[in-house]
Amino acid sequence: AQKITQTQPGMFVQEKEAVTLDCTYDTSDQSYGLFWYKQPSSGEMIFLIYQGSYDEQNATEGRYSLNFQKARKSANLVISASQLGDSAMYFCAMMNTGFQKLVFGTGTRLLVSP
Amino acid sequence: EAGVAQSPRYKIIEKRQSVAFWCNPISGHATLYWYQQILGQGPKLLIQFQNNGVVDDSQLPKDRFSAERLKGVDSTLKIQPAKLEDSAVYLCASSLGAGLDTQYFGPGTRLTVL
């Protein structure tokens, strides 16, 4: 079985500051992938960043980076230099190569203030 | 490159009525997914197609939900008859292949059952 836990229902950050959104996962598989998606109020799920379980380096995509700590089973999303447009729901998700089903956490609502 | 298209964006129906949603995936994507996202939760997979064959429909309530993907391109999801608890956002996603390939989502259809 696989499970994603996002313990922060809401986070606040000021514009231009960095913010970390927490994600922990549970799986017995050795091969898996971790994903972060952004969901603005419009409803669309926007892919942000991916980390494979065998990737040695943390993934980065522009202002997004994934702090992957395999031993702790955590995959936190770091957003640098927050912008007002970053206000949205953020979902962490994982897929085992064996189970092949994308499982989502409950999400964290991020609010960026001027 | 055009993204995943869905229609309608919003639908309001009475309980026991029927409703259908349409999805056109990204061109060339072999795998298509339908998710249900209830308010305050992460998306939950309903059904997965690989080309025009069903890979996983274990969480599809088959007594009222049906889906098809004729010709391996666009897909329809139908609910008949609808219940109050079907009120949710229905998200369509597609990926190039299966497994750890990134899933790209459409804008979703927000269904309200009265």
Side-chain angles (χ1 to χ4, degrees), chain A residues 37 39 42 44 91 95 101, chain B residues 9 37 56 58 99 103 105:
Chain A
Y37 286 86
Q39 189 174 42
S42 58
E44 184 176 356
F91 289 93
M95 179 187 290
K101 186 175 293 185
Chain B
R9 291 297 313 277
Q37 185 178 20
D56 183 351
S58 57
Q103 296 182 24
F105 285 77

Side-chain angles (χ1 to χ4, degrees), chain A:
Chain A
Q2 51 187 25
K3 185 180 179 182
I4 291 284
T5 302
Q6 294 181 257
T7 57
Q8 305 157 315
M11 289 286 286
F12 294 88
V13 67
Q14 277 205 312
E15 203 175 2
K16 300 178 186 176
E17 291 185 347
V19 63
T20 298
L21 306 183
D22 293 341
C23 172
T24 58
Y25 60 91
D26 188 22
T27 180
S28 55
D29 280 19
Q30 297 301 310
S31 179
Y32 52 88
L34 296 153
F35 302 80
W36 276 92
Y37 286 86
K38 171 185 177 181
Q39 189 174 42
S41 56
S42 58
E44 184 176 356
M45 298 284 282
I46 302 168
F47 167 70
L48 296 178
I49 196 166
Y50 166 79
Q51 179 85 41
S53 60
Y54 293 118
D55 294 341
E56 293 186 355
Q57 292 198 332
N58 287 343
T60 60
E61 289 286 351
R63 293 186 300 111
Y64 304 107
S65 61
L66 201 152
N67 184 0
F68 180 47
Q69 297 188 43
K70 196 169 181 177
R72 298 180 59 186
K73 293 189 175 178
S74 74
N76 298 340
L77 177 70
V78 180
I79 306 175
S80 63
S82 297
Q83 301 172 356
L84 296 178
D86 293 335
S87 294
M89 283 290 289
Y90 288 81
F91 289 93
C92 181
M94 77 171 294
M95 179 187 290
N96 294 339
T97 52
F99 191 46
Q100 294 206 1
K101 186 175 293 185
L102 193 59
V103 174
F104 288 83
T106 51
T108 296
R109 181 172 297 280
L110 176 66
L111 183 61
V112 181
S113 59

